[in-house]
Every structure is written in C-alpha cells, then in structure tokens.
Amino acid sequence: MDWVAGVFDAAQQWVFENTIQPLLFMLGWGGILESGYAAAGWLLVGTLQIAVICLVIGPLQKWKPVEPVVNKAAVRVDVLYTLIHRLGVFRVAVFFLLIPLMDSMFGALRLIGFSPLQLDGLLPGVTDIPWVSLLIYLVVFDFVDYWIHRGQHHFEWWWKLHALHHSQQQMTMWTDNRNHLLDDVLRDIILVVVAQCIGVAPTQFIAIVAITQLSESFQHANLRLWFGSIGERLWISPRFHRRHHSIGIGHETVQTPKGGKLGHPADARKVVLGGHNFGVLLPWWDMLMGTANFELRYDPTGIRDQVEPDAHGRVRDYGKGFWSQQWLGICRLLGRA
C-alpha cells in the first residue's frame, strides 16, 4: 500500500505542477493552491477510472451484452455525466463550496471539545495498517451508502430527484453518474460529514470514492454476468444491480390495500416507493434488511410511469439532454411536472 500511495502522490504532484498550478496563477487564484492540489488528485483518479471503463468494462459489454444498444443518444448523455463527475468538475465544485463550510463547522465543534472517532486507531497495530483501515472504511461507507440509497427511494421528495438515475432505459457502463446534481450534493454532504466524524484521511477518502465509483460503473454495465450463488452474496454484480433498475420490480413495491387479496385489479393496488438491491458495493445490508433479490433475471430497465400511461393517457418525460433532465428534476421537486 505504501508504494502505491507513493506512486500516486508523485503523479498527483506532477499533474498539479504541470496543469493546475499554472492555471491557478494565470487566473490570479494563487490563494487556493491547497485546494488545487486536491483537485489534481481527483483529476488523476478520474482519468484512471475512465481508462479502466473504456479498456476493461467496454470489451466485457461487447462480449456478453444483456441487450443491443439502440438509443445511442441517451448513452452519449450518460458519457457527459461521467466526464463531469469523474474528471473532477463536479467534485472540485463541491470541494470549493462544501469543504470550507464543513471545515468551519467541524473547527467550531473541536473548539467546544468534539473529537473525531478515529476508527483506524481502535486497535493499534491492526486497524492502523493502511490496507486494513481502508477495508474498514469501505465497509462503513457502504453501510452509510445503503441507507442513503434507501432514503432516495423512501422519501418521495428525494425520489423526485433520484428518479433521473432510474430513467435510463438503456443501461451501460456510463449510467452510474446519471444523477440530478442536487441528489449528488445531498449524498456528498452526508459522506463528508461521516468522513469527518470517523477521521478518514483525505487520501483514504479519495481511494474509497475511486473504488466505489469504479465498482458502480461495472454494476451498471450492459453485461449479462453474475458471480454464482456464493459470489453474488460477497460483492454486487451487474445482474444484482440491474434487478434494482428493473421496471416495476427493483425500485418500487405494489401493496395490496388492507383486507385485499393479490387477485385484485391493478387499480385496487397501491404502488409505493421501496424495492430491492439497494447495496452499493456489498449485498450484505440487503440480505440483513430483507431487501435482497437474487433472482437470475435480466428485465427491462426504467420507471413504470415512462411506459405505462396515466389516467390521462400520458407518460412522464424525464428529459433527453443534460439540462432538460436537470430542469425537469427541479420541476418534479417543486410539484410542477
């Protein structure tokens, strides 16, 4: 782990000195060089991620696709989302806007006696070994991510933003970052607060985000692949996560009214937010909470209201391009769509 960190630090320093630092001086922003150095780290990680997506996951999609790619325009929009997020544009914007606020808040808390938990210091000589602490933090953040994801589906106002992610009916390795920006900001705020509370170092936080994002790109791939009955219970596969995106199966639940029976007409039943397979890296939390679905199926993806007309014969439009998708998300949130 030490040599990996050393190589990354050297590469980050090179990127900073040859790209970010000259740009900041040219713009007259020499006072934020520390933030610029962090931005170089995100840029480096994002570039490596995109290389892996194209060189590894891409050929896998071509080898064993679930379905033919017929809507290439929708996929191109997802590529734009990925570039914005993985090359650091969104992350750096959040870094400049959010991190100073968080630093001020936790600085004030420390003045009144607050101290981070420091999970890697629980068992000196064991938990402070770099690879051990990284594994601990991955499990902790995955547990937090599970409940964030449950919240995105449980609370109707949050679902109105998160629905954009599920509106992609042509899932590929680029689909992971297809999110409303407000949805991403809310998730990042929670994760940054957790990171501050348990004492995660900045380099470890970057590694956690990088591993999580790369795994999520793989999970969203147009890839007919599962890990076997044992492997499916150790790490989330493309099959497991596609179940979460399946229309009317993975991200909602049909409830029968009190006193009703399963044979009732569709209009006598209520569709509520819920679903299956909310895990981000590990299926353990779904298994513990009873939300896991291990059926070996590859159903169409999307949202029910995209394909089933309402009482007025209309289906919901989630937008075709980046800006229309963001705008319609705001409209849904405000109850105007």
Side-chain angles (χ1 to χ4, degrees), residues 177-245:
N177 290 120
R178 180 191 178 101
N179 297 308
H180 199 281
L181 296 180
L182 287 180
D183 191 13
D184 278 330
V185 167
L186 288 171
R187 178 174 177 267
D188 276 9
I189 288 174
I190 296 171
L191 294 181
V192 168
V193 169
V194 171
Q196 291 273 8
C197 288
I198 63 178
V200 181
T203 53
Q204 284 181 314
F205 187 67
I206 291 177
I208 291 164
V209 171
I211 293 170
T212 301
Q213 287 182 333
L214 205 51
S215 182
E216 287 179 306
S217 294
F218 178 66
Q219 294 160 13
H220 287 84
N222 179 25
L223 179 60
R224 188 178 293 272
L225 179 68
W226 74 303
F227 296 158
S229 58
I230 296 178
E232 288 279 293
R233 287 159 176 79
L234 299 177
W235 199 266
I236 290 174
S237 69
R239 192 262 353 138
F240 187 89
H241 193 67
R242 186 180 178 90
R243 195 81 177 124
H244 175 69
H245 280 260

Side-chain angles (χ1 to χ4, degrees), residues 14 35 263 308:
W14 186 90
S35 297
E308 293 185 6

Side-chain angles (χ1 to χ4, degrees), residues 249-268:
I249 299 174
H251 58 82
E252 62 183 7
T253 305
V254 178
Q255 287 190 339
T256 303
K258 187 176 181 180
K261 297 180 180 179
L262 288 177
H264 278 211
D267 58 3

